[in-house]
């Protein structure tokens, strides 16, 4: 059986070098997407641009894990 999910693709500017403001903005956008029944939310790769140099070197920043044992 194929399941369908609503996806929210966020296109919003980052809060350059302001971690607290960036996190607050992300939380607001995630809540808004959830209120519109999104089950998958995608942000641009540079949405969380708190450290404009260091984050490109870390591979764990954009890691996605899926637990296949919890399938319905």
């Amino acid at each position: 059986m194929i399941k369908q999910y609503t996806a929210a693709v966020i296109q919003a500017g980052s809060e350059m070098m302001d971690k607290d403001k960036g996190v607050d903005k992300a939380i607001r956008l995630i809540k808004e997407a959830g209120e519109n029944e999104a089950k998958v939310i995608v942000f641009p790769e540079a949405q969380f641009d708190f450290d404009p140099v260091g984050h490109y070197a870390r591979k764990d920043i954009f890691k996605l894990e899926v637990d296949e044992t919890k399938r319905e």
Side-chain angles (χ1 to χ4, degrees), residues 2-44:
I2 297 174
K3 290 187 177 185
Q4 294 184 344
Y5 298 96
T6 300
V9 180
I10 308 295
Q11 184 61 43
S14 67
E15 300 297 336
M16 186 73 112
M17 301 302 294
D18 190 337
K19 183 177 181 179
D20 292 333
K21 193 172 180 182
V23 169
D24 289 343
K25 183 176 187 176
I27 290 169
R28 180 178 51 80
L29 293 168
I30 291 167
K31 284 181 180 179
E32 182 180 340
E35 289 167 0
N36 287 286
E37 301 181 14
K39 301 295 181 196
V40 177
I41 303 169
V42 180
F43 284 91

Side-chain angles (χ1 to χ4, degrees), residues 31-72:
K31 284 181 180 179
E32 182 180 340
E35 289 167 0
N36 287 286
E37 301 181 14
K39 301 295 181 196
V40 177
I41 303 169
V42 180
F43 284 91
E45 68 276 6
Q47 181 68 40
F48 306 103
D49 196 10
F50 311 133
D51 179 4
V53 176
H55 75 275
Y56 291 109
R58 292 187 51 199
K59 296 187 185 303
D60 62 324
I61 293 287
F62 300 108
K63 184 176 176 183
L64 173 66
E65 294 183 20
V66 178
D67 185 350
E68 292 290 331
T69 62
K70 294 183 180 181
R71 297 182 112 193
E72 294 180 25

